[in-house]
Amino acid sequence: MIGQLVWSAAVALALLLSGGAVGRHVEHGDDDGPSADLDTGAVRVVLAPDAAAAAGGRWFLDSSTTPHISGATVDKLAVGTHIVRFRAVAGYTAPADQAVVVREERTTTVTGTYRAATATGSVRVTLAPAAAITAGARWLLDASPTAHASGEAVAGLAAGTHTIKFVAVTGYTSPASQTVTVSANQTTAVTGLYVAIAATTGAVRVTIGPAAAVTAGAKWVLDGSPTLHASGDTVSNLMSSAHTIRFTAVAGYTTPASQTATVAAGATAAVTGTYSVVTASTGSVRVTLSPAAAVTAGAKWLLDAATAQYASGATVANLPAGAHTIRFSAVAGYTTPANQTVTVAAGATTAVTGTYVAVAASTGSIRVTVAPAAATAGARWLLDSSATPHLSGETVASLAVGTHTIRFSAVAGYTTPANQTVTVAAGATTAVTGTYVAVAPSTGSVKVTLAPAAAVTAGAKWLLDASATPHVSGETVASLAVGTHTVSFVAATGYTTPASQTVTVAAGATTAVTGTYTVVTPSAGSVKVTLAPAAAVTAGAKWLLDASTTQYASGVTVAGLAAGTHTVKFVAVAGYATPANATVTVTAGGTASATGTYTALISFATTIRPVAAANCSCHGSTMADYATLISSGRVVKGNTAASSYVSRTSMQSYWGAFRQTVLDWISQGANP
């Protein structure tokens, strides 16, 4: 993947700088024979050295996977730019991909030179456990963003130290980064162990039987919640503790007794509630408890000597006709109702009411709400020195009057609220809010959409800041520093390139940018300027158009220009004579070409003086003294005819074949 990205960037940059002609190639004319198809050409590739070709060197064209041997020719290729790629050969560094221009009825020859490879090593990283790999565990090498799978080896690494990092996986603690030493011709093995984060909650699943009771409307409820659940439902994210399962009354059935289920972290507790059909020789008892606060506080009722506890409103069926005793559970803060003896008649339901009387409170409660909602999934609160975690909205009762401390658990991605000291009053519930603050992201993203679609097909791309990596339309570049960034655009044939845009990236946000290419209309044309020699280009040679201050690189085409004459100017480069301005004529729909050739400045000290000193023994001191030549008028800068140093008849024979160099030196301004 890294190689492909580097190749793509290198080819794109090379095409941009050279106007489409990249790589060393030789064009042949009709000597290679006419092509069978018009508008097509051929490519021939020679591999060097012969030892690399013999060792397995092969070449590929464009995206084809067909290997070709050294000297092979591929013909019937569409006219335009093609990419030559090279296969890796053990003991050699493969040549870089080359972009070649295929011309109609011609064969372009390319040379790919393999170089003996320096000794390198490899790293193979194994990740564990398998569940973490399934969940997305990957590893990274040094500063590369490429994620590698478990067991994957990365070769061609320079001998020395390298850093292994690990991708975060939900539900696991990532291994710490490791520094490993890579030795030449060896593979260094590394292991990255992810540790599962222990679950803090569990679940309850309740099954109701028989099916007829379910059809008749049997449901179940959890703890004090009024929510009705169907048979087979699972309630998740429950605290690891005891929970009470109650069942709704169904006509014609005896309601199952409430059950206590113990929920363990990471596990699902299974509960079964079985309804029994009421027979005609039995009756039922329904008990209603009051007040509602006592019911909320845990009031229950019991029947005869049984230990099963029933919630308010529950009906117990299939009771033998006759006398039965109703008892009531104790509830903190309330006086328990006295036992009641009731008579159950066959086929009838006896209604009973149990009234709890509130005892003057000597304790109070605390209810804590956690915000925002996004943090509640993992946020918990703790009271005083207790290690018991509580959910948001949970109330802890029967607390001694006085001050208590609320603490909060840490949640990834949020700043933990500070501890709070609250005062509990008798008979009252103190409400507390713990607010988690999301940790603001420090980076953002940029997404650029290019239009129209035809321009994208024609090769439109975009670049970010000083990077040479081209991006396609709709691509998003993430992890960008907050602040301003520059989006520029790659030229597409037949379209005017959008102007560069400065965008502001905000933390945690994606900045959307649109780059619209416009079709070059027939009323406009283009100018393409090539600069030479390559050394001048490397030294900073650029060109300008008309009165614009925008500097363009060699091979760049400026489109959308009005038909008519335009002036091409050239940027001065140290050590070179600047080409004279050139006037070009732009025609509608056409591209005018111009060439600007920089001439290396001739130096008196390094070029003229050594020859003058060697050729003239009689007055070499004056012939080789720059200051004397200028002050005496023997050399007039820029005027060869007025410079006796070279124009006199005797001096013409004196300089011989070197005279032209002296003439060029004076014409350039007699550079010291």
Side-chain angles (χ1 to χ4, degrees):
M1 178 64 75
I2 294 175
Q4 185 178 8
L5 289 175
V6 172
W7 166 66
S8 299
V11 170
L13 182 59
L15 288 172
L16 180 64
L17 294 177
S18 65
V22 178
R24 185 165 64 86
H25 63 273
V26 179
E27 294 182 355
H28 300 281
D30 294 337
D31 291 343
D32 293 319
S35 172
D37 299 315
L38 294 177
D39 299 326
T40 64
V43 168
R44 176 175 178 268
V45 179
V46 177
L47 304 179
D50 294 341
R58 296 294 185 270
W59 61 277
F60 307 87
L61 191 63
D62 296 329
S63 59
S64 171
T65 58
T66 301
H68 303 285
I69 63 174
S70 177
T73 299
V74 176
D75 57 9
K76 296 183 179 180
L77 297 176
V79 170
T81 301
H82 294 265
I83 304 302
V84 176
R85 298 176 291 110
F86 301 89
R87 186 165 70 184
V89 176
Y92 291 88
T93 299
D97 297 335
Q98 297 188 33
V100 298
V101 178
V102 172
R103 290 183 170 79
E104 184 177 344
E105 297 190 78
R106 297 201 176 202
T107 297
T108 300
T109 298
V110 177
T111 299
T113 302
Y114 286 80
R115 291 179 173 80
T118 57
T120 60
S122 306
V123 166
R124 177 180 289 107
V125 179
T126 302
L127 305 177
I133 297 173
T134 303
R138 297 290 187 275
W139 61 277
L140 306 97
L141 182 63
D142 296 329
S144 171
T146 301
H148 303 281
S150 176
E152 185 177 347
V154 175
L157 299 178
T161 59
H162 294 268
T163 301
I164 308 298
K165 295 175 285 185
F166 301 89
V167 176
V169 177
T170 302
Y172 290 85
T173 300
S174 300
S177 298
Q178 299 184 36
T179 299
V180 299
T181 300
V182 172
S183 300
N185 302 316
Q186 294 185 20
T187 298
T188 301
V190 180
T191 299
L193 179 62
Y194 286 77
V195 179
I197 298 174
T200 60
T201 62
V204 166
R205 180 185 297 110
V206 178
T207 304
I208 297 174
V214 176
T215 303
K219 297 286 191 296
W220 61 278
V221 296
L222 182 65
D223 296 329
S225 171
T227 302
L228 299 177
H229 302 283
S231 176
D233 281 358
T234 298
V235 177
S236 303
N237 295 324
L238 298 176
M239 292 299 299
S240 301
S241 61
H243 296 268
T244 301
I245 312 299
R246 296 180 289 110
F247 301 89
T248 61
V250 178
Y253 289 88
T254 301
T255 306
S258 298
Q259 299 184 41
T260 299
T262 300
V263 173
T268 299
V271 177
T272 301
T274 304
Y275 287 75
S276 55
V277 179
V278 176
T279 63
S281 61
T282 60
S284 304
V285 168
R286 179 184 297 110
V287 179
T288 303
L289 305 177
S290 66
V295 175
T296 302
K300 298 289 190 296
W301 62 276
L302 304 91
L303 184 63
D304 297 329
T307 58
Q309 296 187 354
Y310 302 96
S312 177
T315 299
V316 177
N318 293 331
L319 297 175
H324 292 270
T325 301
I326 306 299
R327 297 177 292 116
F328 302 90
S329 65
V331 177
Y334 291 86
T335 301
T336 306
N339 293 348
Q340 298 183 41
T341 299
V342 297
T343 300
V344 173
T349 298
T350 301
V352 180
T353 299
T355 303
Y356 286 77
V357 179
V359 177
S362 60
T363 61
S365 305
I366 288 178
R367 178 184 298 109
V368 179
T369 303
V370 173
T376 58
R380 299 292 185 272
W381 61 276
L382 304 95
L383 184 62
D384 296 328
S385 60
S386 171
T388 302
H390 302 282
L391 294 169
S392 176
E394 188 173 345
T395 299
V396 176
S398 301
L399 297 176
V401 172
T403 59
H404 294 268
T405 301
I406 309 298
R407 298 175 289 117
F408 299 90
S409 65
V411 177
Y414 290 87
T415 301
T416 306
N419 294 348
Q420 298 187 38
T421 299
V422 298
T423 301
V424 172
T429 298
T430 302
V432 179
T433 299
T435 303
Y436 286 77
V437 179
V439 177
S442 59
T443 61
S445 306
V446 166
K447 178 181 180 181
V448 179
T449 303
L450 304 177
V456 176
T457 302
K461 298 283 192 303
W462 61 278
L463 305 99
L464 187 63
D465 296 330
S467 172
T469 302
H471 304 281
V472 299
S473 177
E475 186 175 349
T476 298
V477 176
S479 301
L480 298 176
V482 171
T484 58
H485 293 267
T486 301
V487 176
S488 56
F489 303 89
V490 176
T493 303
Y495 291 86
T496 300
T497 306
S500 297
Q501 300 184 37
T502 299
V503 299
T504 301
V505 172
T510 297
T511 302
V513 179
T514 299
T516 303
Y517 287 75
T518 54
V519 177
V520 177
T521 63
S523 62
S526 306
V527 168
K528 177 182 178 182
V529 178
T530 303
L531 304 178
V537 175
T538 302
K542 296 286 191 299
W543 61 277
L544 307 93
L545 188 63
D546 297 330
S548 171
T549 59
T550 301
Q551 298 184 359
Y552 301 99
S554 176
V556 170
T557 299
V558 177
L561 300 175
T565 59
H566 293 267
T567 301
V568 177
K569 296 176 286 183
F570 302 90
V571 176
V573 177
Y576 290 87
T578 305
N581 293 349
T583 300
V584 295
T585 301
V586 173
T587 58
T591 299
S593 297
T595 299
T597 302
Y598 285 77
T599 304
L601 292 176
I602 301 171
S603 168
F604 178 82
T606 59
T607 303
I608 306 301
R609 180 178 179 178
V611 175
N615 287 354
C616 188
S617 59
C618 59
H619 31 24
S621 59
T622 57
M623 293 290 286
D625 187 300
Y626 179 81
T628 300
L629 292 174
I630 298 300
S631 62
S632 65
R634 291 193 182 97
V635 172
V636 179
K637 295 182 179 181
N639 190 339
T640 57
S643 299
S644 61
Y645 193 60
V646 72
S647 61
R648 289 173 55 184
T649 303
S650 60
M651 294 306 295
Q652 293 177 12
S653 59
Y654 167 78
W655 289 116
F658 191 68
R659 182 172 182 269
Q660 185 59 49
T661 300
V662 180
L663 288 170
D664 292 341
W665 170 65
I666 295 173
S667 297
Q668 292 176 358
N671 182 39

